[in-house]
Amino acid sequence: MKRIITLSYVSVFAVCLVSLVAGDGRVGALIQETSPVTFVEVPLKSAGITWVHDNGHSPERHLPETCGGGGIFIDYDNDGWMDIYLVNSGPSDFFKPEKPIRNALYRNNHDGTFTDVTEKAGVACGKMGHFGMGASAADYDGDGWQDLFVTNYGANVLFRNNGDGTFSDVTSVAGVASPNWSTCATWFDFDNDGKLDLFASSFVEYSANSSIFCGDNKMGRRYYCIPRVFKPRPSHLFKNEGNGKFTDVSKSSGIASALGKSFGVVATDINNDGLMDLFVANDTVANFLFVNKGGGKFEEIGLASGVGYSDSGSPRSGMGADAADYDGDGWQDLFVANIDQELFSLYHNEKDLTFIDKPGEIAGATRLLSGWGLKFFDYDNDGDPDLFLANGHPDDMVEMQASRVKYREPLLMFENVNGTYKNISSRSGEVFQKDFPARGMAVGDYDNDGDLDLLIINNGEAPVLLRNEGGNRNNWLGVHLVAAKSGGSNPMAVGAILTWQAGGVKRSRLKTSGGSYLASHDPREILGAGKAATIESLEIRWPGGKVDKLTNLPINQYIRVVEGEGLSKTDTSKAQGPQK
């Protein structure tokens, strides 16, 4: 006999409507200066992208239907141009699609168009148990080719890049399937042995045979249950053994001791001790902040640090997460997006393992929104991390009970102005006047023009590709790091610290891993120089602790820097001056 529970996304989070500071999120504080940067929606047909996300929508309202899909930027063929991988749903214990559903890999043709190479590459997934969520790319075996990890409701999949345009499914050999329900994943070196390890976040206990029913019995309608009514699960940490195999160290590391309902994750270093920590967004339970204690151990300090709950002491519906030093004080700050009425959080690092929530203008702009994909990135190449948010309510029936909360929601763009975020969505392009059921979001320079573009994956709809127009009006330097000396298989230098000086101004950036939701990003770093005519110096502190310092650097082009060898060949890309 089914147990009747009337909790739903709608009934819990649409009951406390208050006035907005910034309207529906599109209009923020007035800014005197004029932004030269807009994001232009690329017509997918002309770009050659025909893939559409299928969420498996059913009358039974199974929870995994609300959470996909994901997508990433990945240079799978090492030609210096970002390709695109998109993750779809698929057959599962509750979904039997009438037509085949698959993921898609699109090769970048270097001219603004893409070619579908999924079948040749062998990364379609689409078989039973692969109801897709997201993906994460990294060169886990150190052979110089980016590999691909796909998270699912069902068993996860690890594809090894063969270096010839194809991938091999090595999940069983590697031992990283972690069946049930995984959402975000990220690659990072938690023990500083030079090999990329893998964290896969776990969502709730769920199956088609779940006895929980959420809905309005009088209306005869069924709603999506909120995750609060499901049991939490431990996430997974896999240690890279360097021989193609991984060891599950979830229990011995302390990761598994914290039961959560985990969505977004970012690997960062919150206390500047050279060990990568993990910030994990949880839905309806406290967020996790796993501090790396060394020796393969983590301590969860979300509550003590001030990032676990709201200021009122309540758990929120954490979805997307990211980290960056937004105010330039040398310490990593954190961001997490929640569901409507809960406000999004910008956590300022107080340098003592505690954080203070200082959302500023972001709070009013997001009160009626639900955030998923998000990222700190320098959209205008002035050297400071700006912030983009992709939003959409998880329940497609929310508008039946909430007059001011919508299922499809606007995108938001915030500019970093001297360490304070200003809502510039209304002047960042026509796409910000539209609404989307957004989920995953990835950042990358797909056209190699020196500014970062955006890929947004919509639940049950076609994705959106946004081209950055004007970000390269400021000077920049694109850096492809190769950590050849730090050991093993962390060639992309996750955990490296880049410090560059341009026009007499010194800035620093930690190369984090993960961030956003169901996504991973362009592995190259674009260092903004503003109007400075030169970048006087670039210092790279590699993950192993070694330091390289470069001077007399080129500008407005991509370079390749190999640990211990300095400037190598220029990547295959456009090398050009500031755009007028």
Side-chain angles (χ1 to χ4, degrees):
M1 181 175 181
K2 292 186 176 181
R3 180 160 48 98
I4 307 298
I5 297 180
T6 57
L7 290 174
S8 72
Y9 278 117
V10 176
S11 61
V12 172
F13 298 115
V15 296
C16 185
L17 296 178
V18 295
S19 62
L20 275 179
V21 174
D24 65 356
R26 294 191 180 96
V27 181
L30 296 177
I31 304 174
Q32 296 300 318
E33 60 267 33
T34 301
S35 171
V37 182
T38 59
F39 288 91
V40 176
E41 188 172 356
V42 177
L44 295 183
K45 185 176 181 180
S46 63
I49 298 175
T50 59
W51 180 93
V52 176
H53 183 258
D54 186 333
N55 59 12
H57 188 278
S58 68
E60 292 77 21
R61 296 291 204 270
H62 288 285
L63 191 58
E65 298 169 8
T66 72
C67 301
I72 68 174
F73 283 110
I74 174 176
D75 182 10
Y76 86 100
D77 54 0
N78 275 357
D79 65 353
W81 294 74
M82 288 297 111
D83 312 298
I84 289 174
Y85 186 71
L86 299 163
V87 181
N88 219 328
S89 64
S92 68
D93 60 353
F94 65 84
F95 180 42
K96 306 297 187 291
E98 296 180 359
K99 297 180 180 179
I101 293 176
R102 65 174 176 85
N103 301 345
L105 176 63
Y106 285 97
R107 186 186 67 232
N108 193 323
N109 297 325
H110 310 179
D111 60 1
T113 68
F114 295 83
T115 298
D116 189 334
V117 296
T118 312
E119 298 302 331
K120 177 184 177 181
V123 292
C125 286
K127 61 183 180 181
M128 184 65 183
H130 289 173
F131 190 97
M133 289 286 119
S136 184
D139 180 10
Y140 78 89
D141 54 359
D143 65 354
W145 299 86
Q146 279 193 284
D147 309 298
L148 181 62
F149 184 69
V150 183
T151 60
N152 297 292
Y153 168 78
N156 300 324
V157 182
L158 177 60
F159 290 109
R160 181 182 180 274
N161 192 327
N162 298 319
D164 60 359
T166 69
F167 290 78
S168 296
D169 184 342
V170 296
T171 312
S172 296
V173 173
V176 293
S178 55
N180 201 296
W181 187 356
S182 295
T183 49
C184 289
T186 192
W187 298 89
F188 73 118
D189 183 7
F190 77 86
D191 52 0
N192 283 347
D193 66 351
K195 296 183 286 292
L196 281 175
D197 310 300
L198 176 63
F199 174 88
S201 61
S202 293
F203 203 46
V204 299
E205 291 283 356
Y206 193 89
S207 73
N209 297 321
S210 169
S211 60
I212 298 176
F213 171 83
C214 299
D216 183 341
N217 295 326
K218 292 181 180 179
M219 301 288 292
R221 295 192 180 102
R222 187 163 186 168
Y223 296 104
Y224 289 111
C225 297
I226 63 168
R228 182 175 299 152
V229 302
F230 297 100
K231 293 180 180 179
R233 298 178 56 237
S235 291
H236 294 273
L237 180 64
F238 298 98
K239 175 178 168 55
N240 190 337
E241 300 295 350
N243 57 1
K245 299 181 179 180
F246 292 77
T247 299
D248 190 338
V249 295
S250 308
K251 292 183 178 179
S252 62
S253 66
I255 294 293
S257 63
L259 299 180
K261 302 174 183 182
S262 303
F263 272 148
V265 60
V266 60
T268 186
D269 182 2
I270 64 161
N271 54 358
N272 290 339
D273 65 352
L275 299 171
M276 296 295 279
D277 312 301
L278 289 169
F279 177 54
V280 182
N282 280 312
D283 196 339
T284 69
V285 296
N287 298 322
F288 296 148
L289 183 54
F290 291 107
V291 173
N292 193 332
K293 307 297 289 185
K297 303 293 185 181
F298 287 83
E299 180 185 1
E300 201 289 294
I301 64 166
L303 175 60
S305 68
V307 303
Y309 295 96
S310 69
D311 286 344
S312 63
S314 301
R316 293 185 283 187
S317 299
M319 294 178 286
D322 200 21
D325 176 15
Y326 77 86
D327 58 352
D329 66 354
W331 295 76
Q332 290 283 295
D333 309 297
L334 305 173
F335 190 92
V336 62
N338 302 299
I339 205 167
D340 65 282
Q341 312 305 331
E342 294 184 345
L343 305 183
F344 299 4
S345 288
L346 177 61
Y347 289 113
H348 181 263
N349 193 327
E350 297 297 297
K351 309 175 186 178
D352 59 359
L353 295 181
T354 67
F355 294 77
I356 295 178
D357 190 0
K358 297 181 177 181
E361 196 171 301
I362 298 171
T366 60
R367 184 176 293 277
L368 296 183
L369 303 181
S370 302
W372 301 84
L374 57 91
K375 198 77 179 107
F376 287 109
F377 73 105
D378 186 3
Y379 89 116
D380 56 357
N381 287 343
D382 67 353
D384 299 321
D386 308 295
L387 180 63
F388 176 84
L389 306 175
N391 311 293
H393 199 279
D395 195 328
D396 63 343
M397 299 176 73
V398 65
E399 293 168 44
M400 293 183 178
Q401 291 194 8
S403 61
R404 299 180 64 190
V405 177
K406 299 187 298 181
Y407 174 63
R408 300 166 62 90
E409 297 178 346
L411 310 172
L412 292 177
M413 186 72 221
F414 290 88
E415 182 177 9
N416 188 330
V417 181
N418 299 320
T420 301
Y421 283 102
K422 300 296 181 181
N423 189 351
I424 59 167
S425 307
S426 62
R427 54 193 180 88
S428 293
E430 293 181 3
V431 71
F432 290 88
Q433 300 303 314
K434 297 183 178 182
D435 296 324
F436 301 95
R439 296 297 185 267
M441 188 277 291
V443 173
D445 183 11
Y446 84 90
D447 53 1
N448 275 346
D449 66 350
D451 49 32
L452 288 166
D453 312 298
L454 303 171
L455 173 67
I456 302 157
I457 298 85
N458 293 310
N459 184 262
E461 297 185 7
V464 174
L465 181 61
L466 299 182
R467 186 179 66 250
N468 186 323
E469 289 290 341
N472 58 8
R473 289 191 179 100
N474 279 327
N475 290 313
W476 56 277
L477 176 65
V479 182
H480 177 189
L481 296 177
V482 181
K485 308 296 182 181
S486 291
S489 48
N490 182 12
M492 294 191 300
V494 173
I497 299 175
L498 297 90
T499 303
W500 72 102
Q501 181 169 306
V505 178
K506 184 174 288 189
R507 293 183 173 88
S508 184
R509 181 185 301 167
L510 171 70
K511 187 173 176 60
T512 61
S513 179
S516 189
Y517 176 72
L518 303 182
S520 66
H521 314 279
D522 192 332
R524 303 170 297 181
E525 296 289 336
I526 296 180
L527 310 180
K531 298 303 180 184
T534 61
I535 294 180
E536 293 96 40
S537 65
L538 169 61
E539 179 181 290
I540 303 166
R541 181 173 295 276
W542 299 92
K546 298 178 181 178
V547 176
D548 284 334
K549 188 170 184 178
L550 290 73
T551 57
N552 300 318
L553 293 157
I555 203 166
N556 299 321
Q557 64 179 275
Y558 281 96
I559 63 172
R560 177 183 169 97
V561 181
V562 180
E563 182 181 5
E565 299 178 14
L567 187 64
S568 183
K569 67 177 183 179
T570 301
D571 279 356
T572 303
S573 55
K574 298 176 185 177
Q576 57 189 37
Q579 301 302 292
K580 306 301 181 184

